[in-house]
Amino acid sequence: MTSISPSAEKLWRAAKKPLIILAVLLAGVLALVIIRGDEGAREELHPDSYAPDGGRALAQLLRGQGVRVDQVDTFDEARSATGATLLIARPDLLPPERLVELRDRARQLVLVGAQGPGVGAVLPGTEVAGITEVQNRQPECPLSAAVAAAEATSGGVRYEPGDGVLSCYPDGEAATLVQRFGGPLTTVTLLGTSAPLTNARLAEAGNAALGMRVLGANERLVWYLPSATDAALRGDEKSFTELVPAGLKFGLVQLFVAAVVLALWRARRLGRVVHEPLPVVVRAAETVEGRARLYRRSGAAAHAAGTLRHAARTRLAPRVGLAPDVEPPALIGALAARTGRPGAQVHALLYGPPPDHDPALVRLADELDRLEKEVDDR
């Protein structure tokens, strides 16, 4: 029995195009999410961003007070902050040694939301004590910037200050703003949250005064927004492709080329029809019997009768000197004259209604054979 279920090849052909379209759509959505996600992260505390968590309002205030604000994206650019205030918005993206290098170059270093190993590197002895709610707090310290601002928004990362480090805006035994004064060393300030510097909350309480005094102490402010893609921050780290040996890369390229060549060689090419001999010889009787079984199984007596009548007309017409596609009246007249049968009987035999059951089909076949014999005998 021949299976009529679709093969795996047919299923793949039917599903190939929809799957490719779906894969392209998913790749596009994923790329869009990655791009938009990166854009959203870079909007936070960006000096040119109008978003609620951007820092454009504070940057404009500082420029209005004569402070030169330079926004940079790479570590190499941030190293130019010699003698200036350096604000790092996402300090945890930098290795501790990079933070120390920048600290030693700047006159004042301000880290926002730092909670990685860089905290202890730039302020020895200072530790992260956890996270707290962002809300308005009193400074409770003699720091001039905090005293001028009075109540301000603070929170986020909590710090336990080390020796010589001043703590402000306390939360329990820890503080949300700590600072080590300058002298021979750079002044380092840690802010637990970026909230008081953002567009959305700059006008609340004393946030504007706090931000301007902390960031406007020098004539130049370098506003550094680190990126994870900055090659200078990776140090000795290498990407996956850089770790793959050159020989393996060459081998993979060769395999890819071989696969393409194989696909082109085995691809289906449309050309002229090629006639090939059958592997076995099938007798005509077997073909007739097989077709008859199909007709019988499907109950196609009318179709079988039409086939028998058409074959009989095609054979009889040349025998009476007519073309195979002769019109019915001419063929009926010639056969009636040749056999002596009435024209109505010949018409009913060659063009009559189809039989409605198998016995009638058998009788029709016998009558057609008899008609052909009568034509041959006369």
Side-chain angles (χ1 to χ4, degrees), residues 221-241:
L221 168 63
V222 178
W223 199 305
Y224 180 28
L225 298 172
S227 172
T229 60
D230 189 353
L233 301 182
R234 295 200 313 231
D236 296 332
E237 294 181 7
K238 294 184 179 180
S239 64
F240 175 76
T241 55

Side-chain angles (χ1 to χ4, degrees), residues 38-39 41-49 69-81 86-91 93-94 102 220-234:
D38 182 66
E39 289 179 354
R42 295 189 64 80
E43 284 294 316
E44 183 181 357
L45 209 60
H46 195 290
D48 295 329
S49 173
V69 179
D70 296 331
Q71 189 265 315
V72 299
D73 296 315
T74 65
F75 177 79
D76 292 335
E77 292 174 320
R79 296 174 65 187
S80 68
L86 175 60
L87 167 66
I88 304 180
R90 294 186 290 273
L93 292 179
L94 279 73
L102 293 177
R220 180 173 178 238
L221 168 63
V222 178
W223 199 305
Y224 180 28
L225 298 172
S227 172
T229 60
D230 189 353
L233 301 182
R234 295 200 313 231

Side-chain angles (χ1 to χ4, degrees), residues 22-318:
L22 180 60
V24 172
L25 290 176
L26 290 176
V29 171
L30 181 60
L32 182 61
V33 169
I34 293 174
I35 293 173
R36 292 297 298 273
D38 182 66
E39 289 179 354
R42 295 189 64 80
E43 284 294 316
E44 183 181 357
L45 209 60
H46 195 290
D48 295 329
S49 173
Y50 292 92
D53 57 354
R56 181 177 176 80
L58 178 58
Q60 291 297 97
L61 287 177
L62 290 170
R63 291 188 178 106
Q65 295 298 316
V67 178
R68 174 185 166 188
V69 179
D70 296 331
Q71 189 265 315
V72 299
D73 296 315
T74 65
F75 177 79
D76 292 335
E77 292 174 320
R79 296 174 65 187
S80 68
T82 303
T85 300
L86 175 60
L87 167 66
I88 304 180
R90 294 186 290 273
D92 289 340
L93 292 179
L94 279 73
E97 61 273 13
R98 296 296 193 184
L99 285 174
V100 171
E101 181 179 352
L102 293 177
R103 180 200 65 184
D104 295 341
R105 286 178 174 269
R107 177 176 297 178
Q108 181 174 355
L109 178 66
V110 181
L111 305 183
V112 179
Q115 53 182 321
V119 172
V122 297
L123 278 184
T126 300
E127 298 179 354
V128 176
I131 304 295
T132 187
E133 181 182 1
V134 175
Q135 62 184 17
N136 290 344
R137 291 182 172 85
Q138 294 294 331
E140 299 184 18
C141 71
L143 180 64
S144 59
V147 171
E151 184 183 50
T153 303
S154 65
V157 184
R158 301 166 62 243
Y159 302 103
E160 292 183 0
D163 295 337
V165 178
L166 183 65
S167 60
C168 297
Y169 300 101
D171 183 85
E173 296 182 357
T176 57
L177 185 154
V178 296
Q179 185 182 82
R180 185 196 66 190
F181 289 102
L185 301 175
T186 303
T187 298
V188 178
T189 305
L190 304 183
L191 284 174
T193 177
S194 63
L197 311 180
T198 61
N199 298 330
R201 308 190 73 163
L202 186 65
E204 295 181 9
N207 293 342
L210 179 65
M212 293 183 65
R213 288 179 175 271
V214 170
L215 301 180
N218 296 289
E219 295 180 355
R220 180 173 178 238
L221 168 63
V222 178
W223 199 305
Y224 180 28
L225 298 172
S227 172
T229 60
D230 189 353
L233 301 182
R234 295 200 313 231
D236 296 332
E237 294 181 7
K238 294 184 179 180
S239 64
F240 175 76
T241 55
E242 293 173 338
L243 294 174
V244 177
L248 180 57
K249 292 180 182 178
F250 180 76
L252 292 176
V253 171
Q254 295 298 315
L255 287 176
F256 175 76
V257 173
V260 172
V261 173
L262 178 63
L264 294 175
W265 173 57
R266 298 292 297 175
R268 176 174 296 179
R269 298 179 295 274
L270 298 179
R272 64 183 183 86
V273 179
V274 179
H275 297 278
E276 297 182 0
L278 294 176
V280 295
V281 177
V282 181
R283 294 183 301 167
E286 293 181 0
T287 304
V288 172
E289 290 177 0
R291 180 173 296 183
R293 291 191 189 98
L294 292 175
Y295 286 160
R296 182 176 182 181
R297 183 179 302 171
S298 60
H303 182 76
T307 302
L308 292 174
R309 282 171 167 165
H310 180 269
R313 293 194 298 267
T314 302
R315 291 191 298 269
L316 288 171

